[in-house]
Amino acid sequence: MDGDADLATPARLMGEPARAAMLLALLDGRALPASDLAGIAGVKPSTASAHLAQLVEGGLVTGRRLGRHHYFSLAGPEVANAVEALQLLAPRREVTSYSQSKATSRLAEARSCYDHLAGRVALDLADALVAEGALAPLVAGTPGAVLDARGPLAARLGIASAIAIASRRPAVRGCLDWTERRPHIAGRLGAHLLVRLLDDGWVARVAGDRSLRVTAEGRAQFAALA
């Protein structure tokens, strides 16, 4: 029989600044090479390797070798959920440059949260689907429900096909958005929606961080949700 969870172990791993920077960089669900993570964390490659080894041993990160490079990614959505939850508690860093201000604005508007959409546009999309009657109101950290996938927006986004896939993962889950302080759509549907919006050209990935650029087509589509 297992006892209480040992919160100190993952907290210690996440609490070191270089490791925290690496976890944040991996929060968009992509795998990054150790050299990129070293640069992001501002440490030497040998130091980054030591940090990554601890994260792998602690079950927060997984690694795989491709050719000459070693790539790392978060171990799963539960790690992303934990990192996102800590962002709700963490104090905000002071923005001291124009580039930081622009990056902060981009992250607040649209970003990837592991494998699903987050930010203001994610809340707009969730609100529109709830208003249409496609989804039950979201509650952070709990499974949600698809009520009716036949509405215009739900049909446009292919919700019926997304939830038809058999999986142990919840079809819908509310994930508390750390910038908006309300839940956005996670789960299988959240992952489907991010892929769909990327494929349809509503949003595009931005090199260098996990923000997403809302395209001209996306701005028109999101404006029509209001």
Side-chain angles (χ1 to χ4, degrees):
M1 181 182 295
D2 293 331
D4 284 343
D6 181 10
L7 294 180
T9 296
R12 175 180 56 81
L13 289 169
M14 293 183 180
E16 199 284 327
R19 292 196 291 268
M22 292 176 180
L23 291 170
L24 283 173
L26 296 172
L27 195 56
D28 65 358
R30 292 179 294 176
L32 295 177
S35 56
D36 285 9
L37 291 169
I40 289 168
V43 297
K44 296 179 180 179
S46 58
T47 303
S49 295
H51 283 310
L52 287 165
Q54 292 182 63
L55 290 171
V56 169
E57 183 180 0
L60 300 184
V61 165
T62 59
R64 58 192 174 96
R65 185 172 291 279
L66 289 175
R68 297 174 54 242
H69 298 284
H70 206 169
Y71 283 78
F72 294 87
S73 57
L74 294 186
E78 67 281 356
V79 180
N81 295 341
V83 175
E84 188 88 354
L86 283 175
Q87 288 185 296
L88 290 165
L89 302 175
R92 299 290 187 91
R93 291 193 178 97
E94 183 181 359
V95 174
T96 58
S97 69
Y98 176 76
S99 62
Q100 286 180 332
S101 176
K102 292 293 287 183
T104 299
S105 296
R106 290 198 311 269
L107 286 168
E109 180 177 42
R111 64 185 183 277
S112 51
C113 176
Y114 191 58
D115 63 354
H116 56 270
L117 182 69
R120 285 193 301 273
V121 296
L123 272 294
D124 290 344
L125 186 59
D127 289 345
L129 287 168
V130 170
E132 184 177 85
L135 300 183
L138 297 169
V139 178
T142 64
V146 175
L147 302 178
D148 186 351
R150 296 170 297 179
L153 180 59
R156 165 77 174 80
L157 296 172
I159 287 179
S161 61
I163 62 172
I165 301 171
S167 173
R168 295 176 59 187
R169 187 180 186 187
V172 183
R173 186 179 65 82
C175 179
L176 190 59
D177 195 289
W178 69 272
T179 54
E180 294 299 303
R181 306 278 170 160
R182 294 196 292 127
H184 54 241
I185 303 168
R188 299 200 312 274
L189 178 57
H192 165 83
L193 290 174
L194 178 56
V195 172
R196 185 64 179 260
L197 297 187
L198 286 166
D199 288 347
D200 288 358
W202 292 27
V203 296
R205 293 199 182 277
V206 175
D209 63 37
R210 60 194 179 93
S211 66
L212 296 168
R213 178 176 58 84
V214 181
T215 66
E217 170 68 12
R219 292 200 181 280
Q221 295 289 349
F222 285 119
L225 300 178

